[in-house]
Amino acid sequence: AAERLDNISEEELAGMLYENSDEPYCEELAKAITTEIRKGNRIDTTTKLRNVIEKTLDFLPNNKEKKDIIKKTCQRTFQALRIDVNNEFEVLYEFMEKLPGALKPGGRVAILTFHSGEDKLVKAALKEGYRAGVYSAYSKDVVRPSAEECVRNPRARSTKVRWAVRAEE
């Protein structure tokens, strides 16, 4: 991630933060991060990145909400970088392209997604497959975990499930 940040433009970073994590402060963060790097201050630890984020969001009023916003912004920024470095959208797109060939006629698939970017891609691919006759049915609505499940497993709260059935030939 540090190597990626070393060479990224402000515009590209802002786009990455927006596309990969819906970061509302993407432009401010991109400017601050690229400025820091241009000054010769390499951002090669999560602590350094968090410090830049905290400085960038210093304009927020000091209260509990500010701490929560900083925490969420850090999570979204780390997520955006992870998605970019691992080429996760490209891998998911390729998977969705190859999926119909892996299913027998009548075969069923359920796909778990963990953030909006993934979910949008899966939703669009399943919808397009349905329109093209590849799938006989697909989930038009997302399946979310129940409140009880989220209490038992807090990490489940961001999970969405979409499904499809391969059309009979």
Side-chain angles (χ1 to χ4, degrees):
E3 289 175 20
R4 179 72 169 114
L5 288 176
D6 286 344
N7 302 305
I8 198 165
S9 72
E10 181 179 330
E11 295 76 22
E12 188 179 3
L13 181 55
M16 176 207 305
L17 292 171
Y18 181 77
E19 291 295 321
N20 293 0
S21 65
D22 299 321
E23 174 52 53
Y25 300 108
C26 59
E27 291 176 2
E28 295 89 341
L29 291 171
K31 182 176 179 68
I33 291 167
T34 56
T35 298
E36 195 69 23
I37 291 167
R38 277 197 304 269
K39 288 181 187 173
N41 300 322
R42 190 163 198 250
I43 300 175
D44 56 1
T45 68
T46 55
T47 302
K48 288 178 182 178
L49 184 54
R50 180 181 175 87
N51 289 340
V52 172
I53 292 168
E54 285 177 340
K55 269 196 290 187
T56 304
L57 300 180
D58 200 43
F59 66 89
L60 297 170
N62 275 326
N63 56 26
K64 185 192 180 310
E65 191 175 314
K66 179 178 182 175
K67 281 187 174 186
D68 291 343
I69 291 171
I70 289 171
K71 180 180 177 184
K72 286 297 259 179
T73 298
C74 286
Q75 290 169 341
R76 286 189 295 260
T77 302
F78 298 149
Q79 171 185 302
L81 284 167
R82 185 202 74 229
I83 289 168
D84 184 78
V85 168
N86 294 333
N87 298 313
E88 292 176 24
F89 284 146
E90 291 83 355
V91 171
L92 180 58
Y93 183 77
E94 186 177 340
F95 169 78
M96 293 307 296
E97 272 188 344
K98 292 179 179 179
L99 178 60
L103 293 172
K104 291 182 179 178
R108 300 166 186 263
V109 64
I111 301 169
L112 298 172
T113 61
F114 298 94
H115 58 81
S116 61
E118 289 175 337
D119 187 59
K120 286 177 200 169
L121 197 153
V122 170
K123 178 182 177 182
L126 295 179
K127 185 176 184 178
E128 178 57 35
Y130 176 76
R131 286 183 177 160
V134 173
Y135 301 114
S136 59
Y138 77 103
S139 55
K140 292 173 183 69
D141 296 318
V142 71
V143 179
R144 308 260 341 196
S146 66
E148 180 185 318
E149 185 174 359
C150 290
V151 168
R152 285 195 322 264
N153 179 8
R155 296 176 73 185
R157 74 179 163 7
S158 64
T159 307
K160 297 174 184 173
V161 178
R162 294 198 180 267
W163 56 267
V165 179
R166 180 80 159 101
E168 300 287 339
E169 292 182 352

